[in-house]
């Protein structure tokens, strides 16, 4: 399937009948040297704001990032969101964020100790999980595996699992994933009765692609093929262009809230 086909299919979507669901890093925005070195353009925010209106609020970010970080990146937008790979959910602007229980502080502290100064390792302590990024230090992957295994062994009564991403290991509670979170999201409020359209790029997105057929939705891969996808966009830049084209016929948008 060619990129032109993916763009053509996307351009024919009817915002009145769909819910737009987007992974963030590697899908809407380019992967940066670290999670804290990325760019979210004003043009992308404008496209999302217009599409939020055109879908009557049935648009959500579905990310591994905490929702608080999504709000900072996309400020002044405060979009519906699934954060932490399903550990957090916010259904609409101004709604409370629901989240699962945090991991023990001692386990989180042990995991974070892997990010010693000069190692190139960057950590994210999300409370309910800890992500260790080694984009700048691929040679550290095996050391991180051993460090994580030792930490989990030190807390044998705490059920955890390791999520693998792009140059990233994340220790989290089992049974938490984007797919289950999206399934719940589609039973709530403005999402009910709409066909989910999901864009993702990573193995952490596979659980969403897996459930789309049962929900009558379509999936689009970014930079890679996933089973049963309707199309593939070569890069986040191509996704941003497709969103711009889908949103361009909308009326001027009203900004959504302010960042906290």
């Amino acid at each position: 399937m060619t990129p032109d086909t993916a763009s053509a299919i996307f351009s024919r979507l009817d915002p009145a009948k769909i819910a737009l669901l987007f992974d963030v890093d590697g899908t809407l925005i380019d992967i940066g040297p670290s999670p804290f070195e990325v760019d979210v353009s004003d043009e992308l925010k404008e496209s999302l704001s217009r599409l939020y209106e055109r879908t009557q609020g049935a648009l959500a970010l579905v990310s591994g990032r905490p929702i608080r970080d999504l709000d900072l990146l996309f400020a002044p937008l405060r979009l519906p969101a699934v954060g932490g790979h399903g550990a957090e959910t916010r259904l609409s602007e101004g709604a409370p964020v629901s989240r699962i229980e945090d991991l023990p502080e001692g386990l989180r502290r042990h995991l974070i100790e892997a990010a010693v100064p000069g190692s190139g390792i960057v950590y994210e302590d999300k409370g309910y999980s800890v992500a260790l990024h080694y984009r700048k230090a691929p040679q550290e992957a095996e050391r991180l595996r051993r460090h994580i295994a030792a930490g989990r062994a030190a807390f044998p009564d705490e059920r955890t699992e390791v999520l693998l991403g792009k140059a990233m290991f994340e220790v989290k509670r089992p049974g938490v994933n984007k797919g289950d979170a999206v399934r719940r999201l589609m039973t709530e409020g403005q999402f009910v009765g709409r066909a989910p359209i999901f864009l993702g790029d990573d193995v952490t997105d596979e659980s969403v692609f897996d459930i789309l057929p049962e929900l009558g939705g379509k999936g689009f891969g970014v930079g890679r093929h996933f089973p049963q996808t309707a199309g593939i966009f070569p890069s986040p830049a191509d996704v941003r262009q497709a969103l711009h084209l889908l949103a361009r016929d909308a009326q001027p948008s009203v900004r959504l809230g302010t960042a906290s």
Side-chain angles (χ1 to χ4, degrees):
M1 184 170 294
T2 66
D4 287 344
T5 302
S7 297
I9 295 172
F10 200 82
S11 69
R12 293 194 295 269
L13 296 173
D14 182 353
K17 298 179 180 179
I18 61 173
L20 289 169
L21 311 173
F22 305 108
D23 173 54
V24 175
D25 294 270
T27 297
L28 288 180
I29 62 176
D30 299 293
I31 297 287
S34 81
F36 313 107
E37 299 173 83
V38 296
D39 177 63
V40 181
S41 69
D42 289 341
E43 182 177 65
L44 172 58
K45 294 177 187 179
E46 181 66 19
S47 294
L48 291 173
S49 183
R50 290 188 177 216
L51 289 171
Y52 179 88
E53 292 180 358
R54 296 194 72 189
T55 58
Q56 297 182 314
L59 180 152
L61 305 176
V62 182
S63 175
R65 291 179 181 266
I67 291 176
R68 66 173 184 270
D69 289 356
L70 296 174
D71 288 347
L72 290 173
L73 281 178
F74 290 87
L77 305 183
R78 295 174 63 88
L79 297 166
V82 169
H85 304 288
E88 298 180 306
T89 305
R90 181 174 65 204
L91 295 178
S92 61
E93 178 194 4
V97 175
S98 63
R99 53 178 285 152
I100 65 171
E101 181 185 2
D102 284 352
L103 294 175
E105 182 179 356
L107 174 56
R108 286 156 41 214
R109 187 165 55 246
H110 168 87
L111 295 170
I112 290 168
E113 287 173 355
V116 296
S119 67
I121 306 300
V122 176
Y123 74 87
E124 289 182 274
D125 182 0
K126 306 173 187 179
Y128 45 75
S129 70
V130 172
L132 298 168
H133 299 268
Y134 57 97
R135 297 173 194 170
K136 296 181 178 180
Q139 73 279 2
E140 294 288 330
E142 186 54 38
R143 180 179 73 85
L144 283 179
R145 289 181 189 274
R146 295 195 299 269
H147 183 83
I148 290 169
R152 296 177 71 199
F155 290 81
D157 296 330
E158 197 69 36
R159 295 178 64 240
T160 60
E161 65 182 17
V162 181
L163 180 69
L164 306 180
K166 290 182 177 178
M168 181 275 292
F169 299 122
E170 184 161 351
V171 179
K172 68 181 190 68
R173 296 197 179 280
V176 177
N177 61 74
K178 290 182 177 182
D180 287 343
V182 165
R183 185 185 283 112
R184 293 191 298 270
L185 185 72
M186 295 305 301
T187 67
E188 299 284 350
Q190 69 272 28
F191 295 94
V192 174
R194 290 173 175 262
I197 306 299
F198 177 70
L199 280 68
D201 75 301
D202 199 358
V203 292
T204 60
D205 300 315
E206 290 177 351
S207 61
V208 182
F209 286 111
D210 288 344
I211 67 165
L212 290 176
E214 73 183 64
L215 299 176
K218 288 186 172 68
F220 293 83
V222 182
R224 59 172 290 182
H225 171 74
F226 293 90
Q228 303 185 48
T229 49
I232 302 171
F233 291 99
S235 71
D238 296 286
V239 172
R240 294 191 292 269
Q241 176 64 12
L243 295 184
H244 173 74
L245 294 176
L246 189 62
R248 66 182 176 179
D249 295 330
Q251 295 299 310
S253 62
V254 176
R255 296 292 187 183
L256 306 177
T258 57
S260 58

